[in-house]
Amino acid sequence: MNDAVNDEEQGNFSETKQKAIDTGKYSAFDFKNRPPDGGFWAWISVVCVLFINTFSWGLNACFGVYLNYYVTEKYFENANTEQYVMIGGLALGLSFTACAFTNGLCRHVHYKIIMTIGLIITFLSYWLASIATTVVQLIFFQGFLMAFGWALTAGSTFLILPTWFLEKRSIAQGIATAGGGLGGIIFSRASDQIIKQYLTNPKYAGDPNHALRLGVAWALRMEALVCGFMLAISIILIRTYRPIKNTSKDKKPLYIELTAFLFRFDLMRQIPLICLMLWNMVYSLSYSILLFSLSAYGSSIELSYKQGSNVTTVQSVAQTVGRPLLGFLSDKIGRVNVTLISTILITIFSFVFWIFVTTYAQLIGFAFAVGILLGVNWVNFGPMTADVVGGGGADMNHAVSLQMFTGGFPLLIAELAGFKLRRFDMERPFLYC
């Protein structure tokens, strides 16, 4: 199966589309090169991207479980909270930023080769993190190395679906990005149970820190094996409608292609794209705090580890349901409309709900309410970018790279800022968060 349609099919699409009237709803590129908006391999690719997100970025949804154990059980004796928090920030923020350069690589190297290299790095990062003996090693393997694995594996998926869809872009992206929540559902409770199995084992009663190390190690190894297998299947089956790799004679050198997006001043002058970039940057700050903090917040109101992991799982379930729903609504009533409404509702929930949560039931309710809406950036930033510049070619590649490059920096520091804002001498320690 070829990645792109042949020239004859492409010509038929263009010829058919020329008879239509350009209403200005979509970019000129999409008007001239309309995607099929469905088909067998289109939806297979959606499922593949769903699995790739589930078994890469999706595991970030359960990092709060690890973080809670690292901080409260003093995983490494000389480590501090900021160092543990740095792991989650690196994994999510650096991977998002690095995706900007993954897009450039895809213009030179076949995307499946890049994704396979990412798969290998991802597997190694989990396995090496399981045998880390210092906090610096843990930061490097579970944070830094894992970020590059995720960027190479999942980064190019933002370019794949817009080549298949136009009117159904948001629902396709919503289904695919549901993997961010699905990963939390699959791994939050499983990781917690593996760790707890060792902590409660009478054999290790005299050395709880050794029990914790064993539990975390086998939880990470379980994730390495499961993710490695599922990512391999997804990479084999995924397809693109139009080629991502630049095969033209005027192909630029790799070093220029990697950084070309930084010099696309024509794109940076487009007001809609500037608005999208600013919104994505601001949204990323609150997204990370809400994603990582709820398990730790549970401990601050004296909930158990199990209850904290349950909260994380409920939030993941809500995201899994919410992202396709947000995608469906975006295609029906408008991507910008749904994005604005979701952002405003999350703001309201944070002010009038989270601040006053004091019980397990209330925290579960808040996690579900926010989780339904929380993934709106992952659902719509790609389709909205495609709506502005078109669903293919260098413009799409560079515009998505700009979004990721600028949106990754807030993700790097968001959770650390959240933890620094905690005040345990206050009645509500997370008030400033």
Side-chain angles (χ1 to χ4, degrees), residues 24-48:
K25 182 178 180 181
Y26 302 110
S27 70
F29 181 93
D30 285 331
F31 179 75
K32 295 176 182 177
N33 306 278
R34 187 181 179 92
D37 233 4
F40 178 77
W41 284 106
W43 292 110
I44 287 292
S45 296
V46 170
V47 174
C48 288

Short mmCIF file of all heavy atoms in Angstrom, two decimals, residues 24-48:
data_model
loop_
_atom_site.label_atom_id
_atom_site.label_comp_id
_atom_site.label_asym_id
_atom_site.label_seq_id
_atom_site.Cartn_x
_atom_site.Cartn_y
_atom_site.Cartn_z
N GLY A 24 -14.29 30.23 0.99
CA GLY A 24 -13.35 30.80 1.94
C GLY A 24 -13.34 30.09 3.27
O GLY A 24 -12.61 30.48 4.19
N LYS A 25 -14.15 29.03 3.41
CA LYS A 25 -14.22 28.31 4.68
C LYS A 25 -12.92 27.58 4.97
O LYS A 25 -12.48 27.47 6.10
CB LYS A 25 -15.38 27.32 4.66
CG LYS A 25 -15.57 26.55 5.96
CD LYS A 25 -16.78 25.62 5.88
CE LYS A 25 -16.97 24.86 7.18
NZ LYS A 25 -18.12 23.94 7.11
N TYR A 26 -12.29 27.06 3.90
CA TYR A 26 -11.03 26.33 4.05
C TYR A 26 -9.93 27.04 3.30
O TYR A 26 -10.17 27.93 2.47
CB TYR A 26 -11.19 24.89 3.53
CG TYR A 26 -12.28 24.12 4.22
CD1 TYR A 26 -13.46 23.79 3.55
CD2 TYR A 26 -12.16 23.75 5.55
CE1 TYR A 26 -14.47 23.09 4.20
CE2 TYR A 26 -13.16 23.06 6.20
CZ TYR A 26 -14.32 22.73 5.52
OH TYR A 26 -15.32 22.05 6.17
N SER A 27 -8.68 26.64 3.57
CA SER A 27 -7.55 27.28 2.92
C SER A 27 -7.54 26.96 1.42
O SER A 27 -8.17 26.00 0.97
CB SER A 27 -6.24 26.80 3.56
OG SER A 27 -6.03 25.44 3.22
N ALA A 28 -6.78 27.75 0.67
CA ALA A 28 -6.69 27.54 -0.78
C ALA A 28 -6.09 26.17 -1.10
O ALA A 28 -6.50 25.52 -2.06
CB ALA A 28 -5.83 28.65 -1.40
N PHE A 29 -5.14 25.74 -0.28
CA PHE A 29 -4.52 24.42 -0.51
C PHE A 29 -5.56 23.32 -0.42
O PHE A 29 -5.62 22.43 -1.28
CB PHE A 29 -3.41 24.19 0.52
CG PHE A 29 -2.69 22.88 0.34
CD1 PHE A 29 -1.53 22.80 -0.42
CD2 PHE A 29 -3.15 21.72 0.94
CE1 PHE A 29 -0.87 21.59 -0.60
CE2 PHE A 29 -2.51 20.51 0.77
CZ PHE A 29 -1.36 20.45 0.00
N ASP A 30 -6.39 23.36 0.63
CA ASP A 30 -7.40 22.31 0.81
C ASP A 30 -8.50 22.40 -0.26
O ASP A 30 -9.09 21.40 -0.64
CB ASP A 30 -8.03 22.41 2.20
CG ASP A 30 -7.09 21.90 3.28
OD1 ASP A 30 -6.28 21.02 2.97
OD2 ASP A 30 -7.18 22.37 4.42
N PHE A 31 -8.77 23.61 -0.72
CA PHE A 31 -9.77 23.77 -1.76
C PHE A 31 -9.31 23.10 -3.07
O PHE A 31 -10.09 22.45 -3.76
CB PHE A 31 -10.04 25.26 -2.00
CG PHE A 31 -11.06 25.51 -3.07
CD1 PHE A 31 -12.40 25.30 -2.83
CD2 PHE A 31 -10.67 25.95 -4.33
CE1 PHE A 31 -13.35 25.53 -3.82
CE2 PHE A 31 -11.61 26.19 -5.33
CZ PHE A 31 -12.95 25.97 -5.07
N LYS A 32 -8.02 23.25 -3.37
CA LYS A 32 -7.48 22.67 -4.61
C LYS A 32 -7.14 21.19 -4.47
O LYS A 32 -7.13 20.45 -5.45
CB LYS A 32 -6.23 23.45 -5.03
CG LYS A 32 -6.49 24.89 -5.40
CD LYS A 32 -5.19 25.61 -5.72
CE LYS A 32 -5.45 27.08 -6.06
NZ LYS A 32 -4.18 27.82 -6.29
N ASN A 33 -6.82 20.76 -3.24
CA ASN A 33 -6.38 19.37 -3.02
C ASN A 33 -7.23 18.74 -1.91
O ASN A 33 -6.71 18.37 -0.85
CB ASN A 33 -4.90 19.33 -2.63
CG ASN A 33 -4.02 20.04 -3.63
OD1 ASN A 33 -3.66 19.51 -4.67
ND2 ASN A 33 -3.67 21.29 -3.32
N ARG A 34 -8.52 18.66 -2.13
CA ARG A 34 -9.43 18.20 -1.09
C ARG A 34 -9.14 16.76 -0.68
O ARG A 34 -9.08 15.86 -1.52
CB ARG A 34 -10.88 18.30 -1.57
CG ARG A 34 -11.90 18.01 -0.47
CD ARG A 34 -13.31 18.09 -1.02
NE ARG A 34 -14.26 17.80 0.04
CZ ARG A 34 -14.81 18.71 0.83
NH1 ARG A 34 -14.50 19.98 0.66
NH2 ARG A 34 -15.67 18.38 1.76
N PRO A 35 -8.95 16.50 0.64
CA PRO A 35 -8.73 15.12 1.11
C PRO A 35 -10.01 14.29 0.97
O PRO A 35 -11.11 14.84 0.81
CB PRO A 35 -8.38 15.32 2.60
CG PRO A 35 -8.06 16.77 2.75
CD PRO A 35 -8.87 17.48 1.72
N PRO A 36 -9.91 12.97 1.04
CA PRO A 36 -11.10 12.12 0.89
C PRO A 36 -12.09 12.20 2.03
O PRO A 36 -13.24 11.81 1.89
CB PRO A 36 -10.50 10.71 0.78
CG PRO A 36 -9.18 10.80 1.47
CD PRO A 36 -8.67 12.18 1.19
N ASP A 37 -11.63 12.69 3.22
CA ASP A 37 -12.52 12.84 4.39
C ASP A 37 -13.09 11.50 4.85
O ASP A 37 -14.23 11.43 5.32
CB ASP A 37 -13.65 13.81 4.08
CG ASP A 37 -13.75 14.92 5.12
OD1 ASP A 37 -12.89 14.98 6.02
OD2 ASP A 37 -14.67 15.73 5.04
N GLY A 38 -12.34 10.43 4.70
CA GLY A 38 -12.78 9.12 5.15
C GLY A 38 -12.15 8.03 4.32
O GLY A 38 -11.22 8.25 3.56
N GLY A 39 -12.69 6.82 4.48
CA GLY A 39 -12.16 5.67 3.77
C GLY A 39 -11.48 4.71 4.73
O GLY A 39 -11.17 5.05 5.88
N PHE A 40 -11.25 3.49 4.26
CA PHE A 40 -10.72 2.43 5.12
C PHE A 40 -9.39 2.82 5.76
O PHE A 40 -9.23 2.78 6.98
CB PHE A 40 -10.56 1.14 4.30
CG PHE A 40 -9.96 0.00 5.08
CD1 PHE A 40 -10.73 -0.72 5.99
CD2 PHE A 40 -8.62 -0.35 4.93
CE1 PHE A 40 -10.18 -1.77 6.72
CE2 PHE A 40 -8.06 -1.40 5.65
CZ PHE A 40 -8.85 -2.11 6.54
N TRP A 41 -8.40 3.21 4.92
CA TRP A 41 -7.08 3.51 5.47
C TRP A 41 -7.07 4.82 6.25
O TRP A 41 -6.23 5.01 7.14
CB TRP A 41 -6.03 3.53 4.37
CG TRP A 41 -5.65 2.15 3.93
CD1 TRP A 41 -6.00 1.51 2.77
CD2 TRP A 41 -4.90 1.20 4.71
NE1 TRP A 41 -5.50 0.23 2.77
CE2 TRP A 41 -4.82 0.01 3.94
CE3 TRP A 41 -4.30 1.23 5.96
CZ2 TRP A 41 -4.15 -1.13 4.39
CZ3 TRP A 41 -3.63 0.11 6.41
CH2 TRP A 41 -3.56 -1.05 5.64
N ALA A 42 -8.00 5.72 5.95
CA ALA A 42 -8.10 6.95 6.74
C ALA A 42 -8.45 6.62 8.19
O ALA A 42 -7.80 7.11 9.13
CB ALA A 42 -9.14 7.87 6.13
N TRP A 43 -9.47 5.77 8.38
CA TRP A 43 -9.89 5.45 9.75
C TRP A 43 -8.94 4.48 10.43
O TRP A 43 -8.77 4.53 11.66
CB TRP A 43 -11.33 4.92 9.75
CG TRP A 43 -12.31 5.98 9.37
CD1 TRP A 43 -13.03 6.07 8.21
CD2 TRP A 43 -12.64 7.15 10.13
NE1 TRP A 43 -13.80 7.21 8.21
CE2 TRP A 43 -13.58 7.90 9.37
CE3 TRP A 43 -12.23 7.64 11.37
CZ2 TRP A 43 -14.11 9.09 9.82
CZ3 TRP A 43 -12.77 8.84 11.83
CH2 TRP A 43 -13.70 9.55 11.05
N ILE A 44 -8.28 3.61 9.65
CA ILE A 44 -7.22 2.77 10.23
C ILE A 44 -6.10 3.65 10.77
O ILE A 44 -5.56 3.42 11.86
CB ILE A 44 -6.66 1.78 9.18
CG1 ILE A 44 -7.67 0.67 8.89
CG2 ILE A 44 -5.33 1.18 9.65
CD1 ILE A 44 -7.89 -0.29 10.06
N SER A 45 -5.78 4.69 10.03
CA SER A 45 -4.73 5.62 10.47
C SER A 45 -5.15 6.38 11.72
O SER A 45 -4.32 6.66 12.59
CB SER A 45 -4.38 6.60 9.35
OG SER A 45 -3.82 5.92 8.24
N VAL A 46 -6.45 6.71 11.83
CA VAL A 46 -6.95 7.35 13.05
C VAL A 46 -6.74 6.43 14.25
O VAL A 46 -6.27 6.87 15.31
CB VAL A 46 -8.45 7.70 12.90
CG1 VAL A 46 -9.03 8.14 14.24
CG2 VAL A 46 -8.64 8.82 11.88
N VAL A 47 -7.07 5.16 14.09
CA VAL A 47 -6.89 4.19 15.18
C VAL A 47 -5.41 4.04 15.51
O VAL A 47 -5.03 3.95 16.69
CB VAL A 47 -7.50 2.82 14.79
CG1 VAL A 47 -7.18 1.77 15.85
CG2 VAL A 47 -9.00 2.94 14.61
N CYS A 48 -4.55 4.02 14.49
CA CYS A 48 -3.11 3.92 14.73
C CYS A 48 -2.58 5.12 15.51
O CYS A 48 -1.79 4.96 16.44
CB CYS A 48 -2.36 3.80 13.40
SG CYS A 48 -2.57 2.22 12.56
#
